[in-house]
Each structure stands twice: as C-alpha cells, then as structure tokens.
Amino acid sequence: MEFAPKIETVGLNLHYGDFHALQDVNIKIPAQNITAMIGPSGCGKSTLLRCFNRMNDLIEHTRVEGGIIIDEHDILKPEADLISIRRKVGMVFQRPNVFDLSIYNNLRFGLRIHRMLNKRDEVMEAIEHGLEHVGLWQELKDKLKKSALTLTLEQQQRLCIARVLILKPEIILLDEPCSALDPVSTLKIEDLLRVLKHEYTLVIVTHNMQQAARVSDYTGFMYLGKLIEFGNTKQVFTNPMEKLTENYISGRFG
Amino acid sequence: MTTARMREKIAFFVLGLITLLVVIPILMIIFYIVKNSIGSISWEFITQSPRNGMKEGGIFPAIVGTIVLIIGTMLFSLPLGVLSAVYLVEYARDNFFTRLIKLSVVNLSGIPSIVYGLFGFTLFVLFLKLGTSILAGSLTLAIMSLPVIITATKEALESVPLSFREISLSLGATKWQTVRYCVLPYAIPGILTGTVLSLSRAAGETAPILFTVAAFYLPRLPRSLFDQVMALPYHLYVISTQVPNIPVSISFATCFVLIGLVFLMNLVSIILRSHYRKKKLW
C-alpha cells in the first residue's frame, strides 16, 4: 500500500465526556480513491468521518487529541481555519437534507455564504456545472425555481452532492449516503461516486458491507473505537489479516 | 359496541365539553363588553379628545398613547429579547453562568407588574432622569416583556432541527450565517407568537406605566419621546374609579377599543406568520 495520503490521522483519540469513542486511530486515506469505513453500530466510523471536517465540534464535552493532517496541515490545531476546512472537505449526510428552498437557492446557498461568484450568469454556470456533475441537469434545468422538497429522495441526495461540489472541495465525506434510498437509487448513487473519484477523494461510511465491497478501493474496519484493519478492499474482503475482520465480514457478528 | 369503544366515545365527549368550557369565558367577556359599549362606540369616540371632565368626547389621545407605547416597547424588547435568546441557544455553553441567566429569565416573568412599575420609576424616571415620559414607560414595559419574548424565542430556536445547522456548518458557513439563514427563518413564526403575546400584555398593563408615563388627562398628542401620554388601561382605571358620574358605557367602550387593538395585533401576527411560513429565504 504505497500512496501519498490525502488525509492522515496520527494517534487520534476522541472522548465524548467519559466515553472513549476513538482510540488511538492511525489511518492514511489515499487521494482520488473511494475509501469505505465499515463496522458495527457505535464502532466510531461516523465519529471518525466527522473528525475530518471537525463536525464533532458541535457536540459539547467532546475532547479530541492527536493529529489529523490534510495536505500537510493539521486541522486540529487551534489556528486552523474551520471555514476553509469545511469548504475543502464537503459532507453528505444520511438523510438527503435539502433546505426547504428552491433547487436554485439550495445550490446558491454555499456560494452566497462564501461570497463566491456574484454575477448572475456565473452563478448559473456554476449551478449548471454542479447539476451536470451529478446527472441532474437535463431533468431539472427547467424546474430550478421549484422547491427542492418536491424531488425524489434520490434526486435530493444528488442535489446534496451537487451542493457540496459547487464549492469545489477536494474531499467528500459521505455518511451512509444511501441508507434512505431504495436499491435502484443506491446503485445509481454508487455509479456517481465511481465517476466522482477521478476528481475527488471520497470517504464513505456504510452499514452495508456489500456496498463497501462494490464501490470502494480501500476499506477500513472499525470495532469499539479502534481501527482494526485497513487495506485494499479486495484484500480486506477476501483475505483479511485480522480474525475480528473475518468474523465481521463473514457475518458472525455485527 | 364494545366497552372500550364506549369509553372512547365518552372520553371524547367529556374532553370536547371541557374544551368548550375554555371558550365560554372569552365569548362572555366579548359579548358583555360589546353589549355595554354599543351606545358609546362611534367614529367620534375613537377620533376625538375627551371633553367636559372626560364625560364626553372620545379617547383618541389614549389610543395614540397606547400605540406609541406598544411600538416603543417592541423597539426595545424585540431585538434585546431575540438576540439574547439567540446567544443563549446557539452560542452559550452550558455552565453555571448561563444556567444562572436562564433561571433569572424564568424568574423575571414571575415578578408582579407593580414591582416593574416601581423599578422603572426609580431607574428610568429618577436615576437616569428621563422623567415621566414615553421613553421611561416603554423601557419599563420592555423589561416586563423580555422574559416572555426570550422564552418564546428560545423554544422556537430549539425546535429547529439540529440537522439544519449541520448542513449549513458543513458547507462552511459561520455560526452567525447559520443562525441567520438556516435557523431564524424557521423560528420566526414562534418568535412572532411570543412577541405579540407579550406586547398584548404590555398594552393592557396599568401598573408599570402608572409612575413612568401615564397622564391623567392630556388632550394634546405627544411631541417628543420625553412627553407623557394617556394610555388606554390607565384611562380606563381613571374613568372607572377617579371621576364620578361617568356613564358606564364609556368605560366599556374604552375596554372595547383596548381589546380591539390587541385583536388587531394578533391579526397582524397571523398574517406575518403565514407570510414567513411560505417564504423561508430572507
């Protein structure tokens, strides 16, 4: 496993109050690949994901130690600029959480808060590009003023991805992005992820082991706050090094 | 029919009846006031000044006074109340200090209004030398309105799902942008309800304005913030207890106008609420 890591954690520990949620996690996540994090509920995979854009800051009484290095900068340092971190590291959530606004305004939101692109045609161009990226432009180009809530769940989730892409991030974190979708929509979103990985570094947390096997290039298995195994997806699924990984993958627990 | 369904029906009936009981007092109050004021309510009554020892003429200066006081109260209490609630909900960490603030807000709403009156009199009228004036009265009423506005705003903000804040922050918004664009627009209906509730109460209070702004008889309209004004509740008190031989219908007509004013405020808030419910981006 030789690659230049896009994200690297060094001795990462996280406590929610008395609960030790992440225990000495050291992981290297390759650029322009899909990395899947798997493991049973409560193993810390979402917590780890939420460290990469510092969303855990929202939860009171959280203590983080160690380092998270993205492009040679430790984002845990007090002088780290949260706003540019979150612009660079976008996030897609479990539920397609569009704003109760028009499709246009959903996409414009990020541009507006970052004071990017003030001219109307530039905004339009960015929106077209974003929607095209996620394969929605043809369907939606005449309905931009419609409420985003009128879209199907799959379209909404695509819109959420477009909303992230429009800010030109380098990393996209996906927290169980398909768990609210039906199997057909899930496959379509997975196809989209395979396209996106050529330009972006993707990290996906999933409950669904088959999804990890289908879509990812690298897989990390977590259990009780520890990273048990990390490697090439094929290797992790066919020839795991750890007994625990094998037991989980073969469905003996989880 | 099974016993369970019978009981269900009885329960529904009893609950409905009890709910109806709640409506009866308000209907009776309105009916009683309308019935007794019918003889005195006229265009003249709401557009002219009192004459002949307040036994004739209208209550125009008192209406203006009350409206001025409501606006003044709102100007002070709304920003103060909403902003402090935003601070408490969105920014403040949970610690001894913020718990103390929250406790004070709750207790502030339990203070009798006459105490606010005396407090306003000593602080604004005497100490800050504002005199008995619109300014002093509005400030006193504003302090009295604050707890309800803060509590209502807090509840409205807390009812906005955490996920709204998450999306906004995950897109790199600052905390203030998140509050401004993703939280406040959804909290506006709740804030409006609380504000109108507390302003309605302020409009009808006598004790807080007694020493701070209210004039016994002042037919001319105020010219500056340092003038005194007549106000409906105090005027009502005066004509009902201090001036002999005033026709009862004048008192009831004054009541009618006061209640009408409060209803009007509620109407405006209903219209604004439905407006903001449709329009989330502002």
Side-chain angles (χ1 to χ4, degrees), chain A residues 78 118 156:
Chain A
N118 285 314
Q156 289 189 24

Side-chain angles (χ1 to χ4, degrees), chain A residues 220-233:
Chain A
F221 170 63
M222 291 187 72
Y223 186 62
L224 299 179
K226 292 194 182 96
L227 180 69
I228 305 296
E229 182 161 355
F230 181 83
N232 199 297
T233 297

Side-chain angles (χ1 to χ4, degrees), chain A residues 73-85:
Chain A
H73 295 288
D74 187 348
I75 63 163
L76 290 181
K77 283 210 173 121
E79 68 267 21
D81 175 18
L82 263 185
I83 289 162
S84 62
I85 290 171

